[in-house]
Amino acid sequence: MKYLLTLIMPLMLFVTACEKTEYVVPNRTVIVDLEARDWEPFDNGRTYEASIDLPEYDSYTNQQGAILIYISFDGGRNYEQIPEVYEGISYGYVVTAGSLLLEIKRLDGGVITNLPASMRIKIVLIDSSEY
């Protein structure tokens, strides 16, 4: 029995002495407020686009990281992730290094007559690295 304990004890110390190293890369959040005047019409008013300068989203983040976009119509109390359909209008986006392009269209393909007066955009940048 002593012989068995003599063999097991070093093994137990070895297993409990191992330390797991974890690297946590924090996310970054950018908040942007858009007004109705920030939207530019295209396709005779069927599509509107708003461009947001986003220098925090560089080419490395574009290749290795990720981005999440949320929209709020009530000043930031409630957010919904886009792409989204809200009151018959489709919200989407295209992102490239340095800029974010938001796009809105009516679901029925008609002309947008009432642009949202204001909205808050929350942009979450998720850094990552390749292993």
Side-chain angles (χ1 to χ4, degrees), residues 1 3 9 12 26 32 60 63 68 75 77 93 121 131:
M1 185 66 152
Y3 179 71
M9 286 302 276
M12 288 177 59
V32 177
Y60 179 81
Q63 293 296 317
L68 300 171
R77 286 185 303 241
Y93 67 93
I121 309 297
Y131 289 102

Side-chain angles (χ1 to χ4, degrees), residues 40 70 76 86 93 120 124:
E40 294 183 37
Y70 298 88
Y86 182 77
Y93 67 93
R120 179 163 284 174
V124 180

Side-chain angles (χ1 to χ4, degrees), residues 8 10 21 25 33 53 58 63 72 74-75 84-85 91 97 110 125 129:
I8 294 176
T21 303
V25 179
D33 290 318
D53 289 330
D58 56 14
Q63 293 296 317
S72 174
D74 60 7
E84 163 77 347
V85 175
Y91 293 81
L125 304 173
S129 61

Side-chain angles (χ1 to χ4, degrees), residues 34-45:
L34 290 179
E35 303 296 328
R37 67 179 178 273
D38 296 324
W39 295 93
E40 294 183 37
F42 292 93
D43 299 332
N44 295 322

Side-chain angles (χ1 to χ4, degrees), residues 12-87:
M12 288 177 59
L13 286 173
F14 177 73
V15 171
T16 59
C18 293
E19 188 176 311
K20 183 178 179 181
T21 303
E22 185 175 321
Y23 299 98
V24 178
V25 179
N27 298 333
R28 293 173 287 163
T29 302
V30 177
I31 304 290
V32 177
D33 290 318
L34 290 179
E35 303 296 328
R37 67 179 178 273
D38 296 324
W39 295 93
E40 294 183 37
F42 292 93
D43 299 332
N44 295 322
R46 289 184 169 80
T47 303
Y48 279 80
E49 294 178 349
S51 181
I52 298 172
D53 289 330
L54 195 58
E56 299 88 353
Y57 191 77
D58 56 14
S59 60
Y60 179 81
T61 307
N62 192 34
Q63 293 296 317
Q64 301 296 328
I67 189 168
L68 300 171
I69 311 295
Y70 298 88
I71 192 166
S72 174
F73 297 100
D74 60 7
R77 286 185 303 241
N78 298 298
Y79 283 96
E80 297 185 37
Q81 188 172 7
I82 59 175
E84 163 77 347
V85 175
Y86 182 77
E87 295 183 356

